[in-house]
Amino acid sequence: MDEIFMLAALAQSRKALPECLPNPPVGCVITDAQKIVAQGYTQAPGKHHAEANALQQIQGQTFNFLKMYVTLEPCSFHGRTPACALAIAEDSRIHEIYVSILDPDLRNNGQGLDILRKAGKTVNVGLCANQVNAFLNQYLLK
Ligand SMILES: [Zn+2]
């Protein structure tokens, strides 16, 4: 099931183009008890990233144990929008995060994962990395 959800996040990633550019086209899926409850993708620059886009859809709703699947490491820096890693870290409904690939952008580069782990979240990296990398790699800042 985890793979199916990451591939659903990858499908969301593709929807981000071309409006998201120059930001990478990231996709995000949130599940509750093996069912998708929210999905999002990177909006135009200055608007929601994929994670914030998905979180917005379940704003105010109560869940005990959500899992998030995101194609790229959540951002750890405040750019045009607040850092997604902080928003996820502060959301007590989300317990486990699957990140397909790390963000090579030096402003992030593992720091997004650190924020999530320090907040006590379970973080898994590398799910469907080949498929995600084949699509996303060309859009990453290196
Ligand atoms: Zn972000």
Side-chain angles (χ1 to χ4, degrees):
M1 282 308 274
D2 292 327
E3 226 175 276
I4 289 169
F5 293 135
M6 186 58 84
L7 294 177
L10 178 56
Q12 290 294 312
S13 265
R14 297 181 194 279
K15 290 190 192 174
L17 292 172
E19 289 79 10
C20 67
L21 297 175
N23 290 329
V26 177
C28 176
V29 161
I30 300 174
T31 67
D32 175 47
Q34 307 282 57
K35 270 194 226 143
I36 294 177
V37 293
Q39 24 192 2
Y41 54 88
T42 313
Q43 309 290 303
K47 296 194 178 150
H48 283 319
H49 288 177
E51 303 92 319
N53 185 222
L55 283 172
Q56 190 185 34
Q57 291 161 27
I58 53 166
Q59 206 173 25
Q61 297 182 42
T62 307
F63 292 102
N64 292 324
F65 196 103
L66 294 175
K67 293 187 187 182
M68 177 181 273
Y69 299 79
V70 57
T71 52
L72 183 69
E73 176 184 5
C75 63
S76 55
F77 53 92
H78 197 298
R80 281 174 288 237
T81 61
C84 293
L86 289 175
I88 301 164
E90 286 164 8
D91 195 320
S92 59
R93 300 171 300 175
I94 298 173
H95 290 257
E96 196 165 351
I97 300 114
Y98 286 84
V99 171
S100 185
I101 60 174
L102 283 183
D103 185 1
D105 185 328
L106 288 175
R107 293 171 298 172
N108 204 11
N109 203 239
Q111 295 180 72
L113 299 183
D114 285 348
I115 290 172
L116 298 175
R117 288 191 176 118
K118 276 186 191 137
K121 315 286 187 191
T122 303
V123 181
N124 307 284
V125 182
L127 184 63
C128 303
N130 288 340
Q131 293 102 308
V132 170
N133 206 43
F135 167 69
L136 204 52
N137 186 55
Q138 61 194 309
Y139 302 105
L140 299 178
L141 189 67
K142 281 170 279 222

